[in-house]
Amino acid sequence: MALDAGSVFTLLGGKFASGGFREFDAANKAAVRSAASAEASIAGAQDRTAKAHDTAAKAAGRSAAANDAVASSGRRLRESVPLAAMDNWAKSSDQAGKNLTKLGTVATKGAAIGLLTLGAATVYAATKAVTFNREMLKISTQAGANTAEVKSMSTAILAMGGTVPQGPQKLAESLYHVESAGFRGAQALSMVKAAAMGAALGNANLEATTQAMIATMASQIKGVHGSADAMGQLNAIVGVGDMRMEQLAQAMATGLLPSAANAGLSLKDVGAALATVTDNATPANVVATRLRMTIALMAAPSKAASKQLESIGLTSTSLAKDMRQPNGLLKAVEDLKTHLKDSGKTAEEQNAVLSKVFGGGRSSAVIQTLIAETDRLKSKYDQLGATNGPQRLAKSWAEFQQSQSAQFAELKSGAEAFAITVGDVLLPDLSKLAREGSHALDGFIKSGGAAQVGGGIESLFTTLGTAAGDLI
């Protein structure tokens, strides 16, 4: 039975007052309404929970579908990309990593190499400068040039580097010989330049070629007009005879040119004779020695020789006068040959005359060759007289400079000159550094530091020796 106001009233027999009953009835109804409202809220909550379950189920379904799609995509990727390509990609990625690592290593090594190269270049430049300056100093201390001249000469020699194959050091050595012979200033530099060109053309030693140049210029022999002319003729003599530049330089060292100059002969006379006899496989220096004696005997024959010359119609001064004419040696040889032939003497008697006039044996070998090969001697004159010395030298030099070997040698020479120039700039600071280092080392030694280091090393070796003995 429902508990309502009427039932309560009946049970209680109307004992309650009507006011109290109305309050109870109102409270009861309010409780009923609250209960109904709670039931409605519970029903709404249950409905929302059901809907949430549906949404979660749908989300789970979509997640499962997404997982299936990912799996399917993975299968398609594996099927579409070859296994070898994936392997190569992996290897490439690995190599890229290694290359990046190496890049850092190479950069570090490059920096170290750069520093080492700079240090080596500094040492090289300073060493070149010291060696060059030492050679130039000899021109002042031994060859007699003043300090101002040496300074200007140093600048000129460095400027010459790169224009000839020889470097400044070799050029300075050449200049020393030229200055020692008494040649100064522009003439000395011109002689060095011409000698360098001649040595390069003949692939010869510059020092020997310089001495041949000095012998030529110092002798003041006829037919030479400056260093370029001298070297042009010397180079031509080498060309028309069977000899090299160094061999010609050895020939000039025999004193041949002063003797020829005193007799009135020219450089062309000497060169033609040398070329003729060296064609007969006689070394140039041997020919030069014998030719010098021959010229001396023609210029001033002994009494016995004069009688032999008179026997063929010549006086004691005939040949001497011949040699002072143009192409003097050729003139004297032809005069002697003609008088021998016209003397009516037999070949044996003619040889006897030559032997008595020129000393016999090997001493007369040169004059006998020249008489026997007069036509060859004459052709040598023609070859040597074709052009003048400077033109001949310039032509040969222009041809030489077209060769790769010449261009490389000149590049190397220029680089050496540049190194010396840089070294001269660095030397003051390097010298200061060396002095400070020397003072520091001296202080270290005096303070006993060296002794301590030595003691430590001795102790180390003692310990090592003991350990080795224990192991043995």
Side-chain angles (χ1 to χ4, degrees):
M1 180 179 65
L3 185 64
D4 55 19
S7 300
V8 173
F9 181 79
T10 300
L11 291 172
L12 293 179
K15 293 181 178 181
F16 288 105
S18 60
F21 175 79
R22 284 193 297 270
E23 291 177 359
F24 173 81
D25 185 59
N28 183 46
K29 290 179 179 179
V32 171
R33 287 194 299 269
S34 295
S37 177
E39 288 177 359
S41 296
I42 291 170
Q46 290 174 343
D47 184 59
R48 287 193 296 273
T49 300
K51 290 181 179 179
H53 282 301
D54 290 340
T55 301
K58 292 178 181 180
R62 288 194 297 270
S63 177
N67 288 336
D68 290 341
V70 170
S72 178
S73 298
R75 286 193 299 272
R76 288 196 299 270
L77 177 62
R78 288 192 296 273
E79 291 170 357
S80 62
V81 179
L83 182 60
M86 296 180 67
D87 184 58
N88 288 339
W89 180 83
K91 290 181 179 179
S92 298
S93 298
D94 182 61
Q95 186 61 45
K98 292 180 179 178
N99 289 341
L100 288 174
T101 302
K102 288 182 179 179
L103 180 61
T105 303
V106 169
T108 303
K109 290 182 178 179
I113 291 173
L115 290 174
L116 289 174
T117 301
L118 179 61
T122 300
V123 172
Y124 174 81
T127 302
K128 284 291 184 183
V130 168
T131 306
F132 174 75
N133 292 336
R134 184 185 298 123
E135 189 64 35
M136 292 301 297
L137 182 62
K138 288 167 55 179
I139 296 174
S140 173
T141 59
Q142 297 182 5
N146 59 51
T147 304
E149 182 180 2
V150 170
K151 184 176 180 180
S152 65
M153 287 289 187
S154 296
T155 302
I157 290 295
L158 288 174
M160 195 181 297
T163 65
V164 292
Q166 300 86 354
Q169 180 64 30
K170 292 295 183 183
L171 295 174
E173 294 172 1
S174 172
L175 180 62
Y176 169 77
H177 292 292
V178 173
E179 292 271 345
S180 295
F183 297 97
R184 295 284 186 265
Q187 185 183 24
L189 289 172
S190 177
M191 290 174 65
V192 171
K193 179 69 176 287
M197 294 168 68
L201 291 173
N203 194 27
N205 178 273
L206 176 57
E207 194 169 14
T209 307
T210 300
Q211 290 172 333
M213 164 69 75
I214 293 171
T216 303
M217 298 294 291
S219 69
Q220 299 184 344
I221 195 167
K222 288 195 308 185
V224 175
H225 308 286
S227 55
D229 186 30
M231 185 49 61
Q233 292 193 54
L234 292 173
N235 187 56
I237 291 169
V238 171
V240 301
D242 185 12
M243 69 188 98
R244 299 184 183 276
M245 182 60 74
E246 290 182 351
Q247 293 171 322
L248 178 60
Q250 293 173 355
M252 298 304 173
T254 63
L256 170 61
L257 291 184
S259 179
N262 289 335
L265 296 174
S266 67
L267 183 58
K268 182 166 68 172
D269 289 312
V270 173
L274 285 172
T276 300
V277 184
T278 54
D279 282 353
N280 290 271
T282 306
N285 62 323
V286 174
V287 175
T289 300
R290 295 173 183 174
L291 181 59
R292 176 176 57 81
M293 296 173 61
T294 297
I295 292 171
L297 291 171
M298 292 172 74
S302 64
K303 289 184 178 181
S306 296
K307 289 182 179 180
Q308 293 297 320
L309 291 173
E310 290 174 1
S311 70
I312 58 173
L314 293 171
T315 68
S316 60
T317 60
S318 295
L319 299 179
K321 292 178 180 179
D322 287 338
M323 287 192 293
R324 294 191 177 276
Q325 297 181 37
N327 296 340
L329 186 60
L330 175 61
K331 176 66 176 177
V333 170
E334 289 180 329
D335 198 9
L336 181 57
K337 182 176 181 177
T338 298
H339 280 79
L340 283 170
K341 183 178 179 180
D342 294 343
S343 68
K345 295 180 180 293
T346 64
E348 289 77 10
E349 291 173 335
Q350 292 176 25
N351 287 333
V353 169
L354 291 175
S355 179
K356 291 176 181 179
V357 172
F358 295 101
R362 296 179 179 177
S363 298
S364 62
V366 167
I367 190 62
Q368 289 176 339
T369 301
L370 295 177
I371 289 175
E373 300 181 11
T374 305
D375 290 341
R376 179 183 291 273
L377 176 62
K378 188 181 297 184
S379 71
K380 301 298 184 182
Y381 274 90
D382 294 338
Q383 290 175 285
L384 293 175
T387 58
N388 62 33
Q391 291 177 346
R392 184 183 293 112
L393 181 63
K395 181 176 182 295
S396 299
W397 185 248
E399 293 174 353
F400 171 76
Q401 287 191 302
Q402 298 303 313
S403 66
Q404 292 183 346
S405 61
Q407 293 169 3
F408 178 76
E410 289 177 6
L411 178 64
K412 182 180 178 182
S413 172
E416 182 180 333
F418 176 74
I420 292 172
T421 303
V422 173
D424 280 334
V425 175
L426 297 175
L427 275 177
D429 290 334
L430 292 176
S431 297
K432 181 180 178 180
L433 182 62
R435 288 194 299 270
E436 291 176 352
S438 177
H439 292 157
L441 179 61
D442 184 58
F444 176 72
I445 294 174
K446 290 180 179 179
S447 67
Q452 293 176 6
V453 172
I457 294 174
E458 182 180 1
S459 176
L460 173 62
F461 277 101
T462 300
T463 302
L464 291 175
T466 302
D470 292 340
L471 290 174
I472 293 173

